Amino acid sequence: MKVLLPSLAGQSDLADRFQREIKLLASLSHPNIAALRTALTLDDQLVMVMEYVEALPFPPAFKKDPFLTRRRLTTLTRCSRP
């Protein structure tokens, strides 16, 4: 679940970006992308509910895939930040 808090919803650029993300995710269908289940406004909060994806935590995943280098981890970490 992803929520845009009311304190941030007033920032139109963030709210617009969140709504674009909802529309984009709704249009995608791929086994490596969590599917959008529903999106709604609840108590003045934009909410996106996606399917649950079972996955390994980062450290065991890196042991299984030697190509996940420190540089890639740094990139993944940067991309995951708002």
Side-chain angles (χ1 to χ4, degrees):
M1 182 166 34
K2 190 171 182 179
V3 177
L4 183 63
L5 300 175
S7 60
L8 299 175
Q11 299 178 27
S12 63
D13 58 327
L14 288 178
D16 292 344
R17 190 170 87 185
F18 195 84
Q19 290 176 337
R20 283 194 309 273
E21 183 180 351
I22 289 169
K23 289 177 184 174
L24 177 64
L25 194 53
S27 71
L28 299 175
S29 176
H30 190 278
N32 293 332
I33 299 174
L36 178 69
R37 294 296 183 210
T38 191
L40 58 129
T41 302
L42 182 66
D43 296 330
D44 293 326
Q45 294 179 317
L46 287 171
V47 179
M48 180 186 334
V49 180
M50 296 167 284
E51 73 175 315
Y52 175 76
V53 177
E54 187 85 31
L56 291 173
F58 269 179
F62 291 139
K63 289 177 185 172
K64 287 184 112 182
D65 186 349
F67 296 107
L68 289 174
T69 62
R70 178 177 293 280
R71 183 175 173 192
R72 288 185 183 176
L73 174 59
T74 301
T75 301
L76 287 171
T77 303
R78 263 192 244 129
C79 291
S80 67
R81 291 186 185 142

